[in-house]
Amino acid sequence: MAKDNIILVGYMGAGKTTLGKALAASMGRVFHDLDWLIEERTGKTIPQIFAEQGEDGFRQIERQTLTEAVDEDGLVLAVGGGTPCFFDNIDVMNRRARTVYLQASPETLMAHIRMGGTKRPLVDGKSDSELIEYIRQSLSEREPFYNRANYKVTIDTITDDRQIDGYVDKIKDILKK
Ligand code: S3P
């Protein structure tokens, strides 16, 4: 079945990996995170790829890894915050999956980015005021791409597992529609 994959898109810190993992577990599906697939494939971390090959190099590898990942069926896949915004990646995803945009405010995105242990070269080293400004600016450029996803779920700051379960139920409900 061509559209049996589920892909979570959205800005850095929206909760794609956290909710994707929980969603996959609750649906008995395999979970993949595109950044982890990229790291496996290259044997390098995301910051290393950015440092050695620049963002352009990273986007090429990301695109290649995405097209191979969506060749599978029955996955829950969390992609990177930039993935839908380069090449025709959003079309590729919409062809091969039901796509869900996890929409969150700049404040929630910042809280999640600060909470998590993930190293993100695009926001590394920014002060709080620089970070919120960067998020506001790049989110407004990226939203037209995110809004091309098939479904949208609004996410508030996640601080406990109960909220994760609540969002998983919400995503499952929306996918039934
Ligand atoms: C990026 C988001 C990151 C990762 C890379 C670039 C972006 O993924 O792909 O650092 O351009 O927004 P997360 O959204 O999982 O942090």
Side-chain angles (χ1 to χ4, degrees):
M1 199 202 293
K3 296 264 274 188
D4 196 27
N5 294 307
I6 296 167
I7 301 184
L8 303 184
V9 307
Y11 201 83
M12 291 176 267
K16 303 178 296 282
T17 304
T18 304
L19 297 179
K21 238 194 266 176
L23 178 68
S26 97
M27 297 179 85
R29 285 174 177 244
V30 171
F31 173 72
H32 283 315
D33 181 287
L34 191 62
D35 281 340
W36 299 349
L37 293 176
I38 292 169
E39 291 185 336
E40 261 169 41
R41 174 195 193 111
T42 59
K44 291 176 181 172
T45 65
I46 303 299
Q48 265 177 319
I49 300 170
F50 268 76
E52 289 171 14
Q53 305 185 46
E55 183 173 353
D56 287 353
F58 172 77
R59 296 301 170 196
Q60 296 284 350
I61 300 167
E62 182 181 51
R63 160 68 179 199
Q64 184 64 35
T65 312
L66 173 70
T67 52
E68 287 175 22
V70 296
D71 231 25
E72 284 184 48
D73 266 332
L75 294 181
V76 173
L77 176 70
V79 297
T83 314
C85 316
F86 290 84
F87 312 106
D88 62 344
N89 290 349
I90 186 65
D91 298 312
V92 168
M93 291 191 269
N94 281 336
R95 269 202 297 277
R96 292 287 305 158
R98 288 176 291 160
T99 51
V100 184
Y101 170 29
L102 304 184
Q103 183 187 42
S105 68
E107 290 73 19
T108 289
L109 297 169
M110 174 149 133
H112 288 169
I113 288 170
R114 288 290 191 231
M115 255 181 234
T118 312
K119 286 257 174 280
R120 296 176 165 110
L122 292 177
V123 294
D124 204 27
K126 291 199 190 307
S127 68
D128 281 357
S129 59
E130 287 166 343
L131 179 58
I132 198 86
E133 191 44 45
Y134 178 83
I135 293 173
R136 287 203 180 104
Q137 172 65 34
S138 54
L139 183 60
S140 70
E141 291 165 7
R142 287 176 169 196
E143 271 215 297
F145 295 96
Y146 298 153
N147 280 327
R148 292 186 54 207
N150 303 132
Y151 307 90
K152 185 171 11 183
V153 174
T154 301
I155 307 292
D156 287 320
T157 309
I158 299 173
T159 50
D160 65 49
D161 288 354
R162 200 177 38 82
Q163 286 169 295
I164 295 176
D165 294 342
Y167 285 125
V168 165
D169 288 344
K170 214 167 163 182
I171 296 168
K172 280 160 68 175
D173 274 356
I174 236 171
L175 288 170
K176 281 186 204 136
K177 286 177 189 153

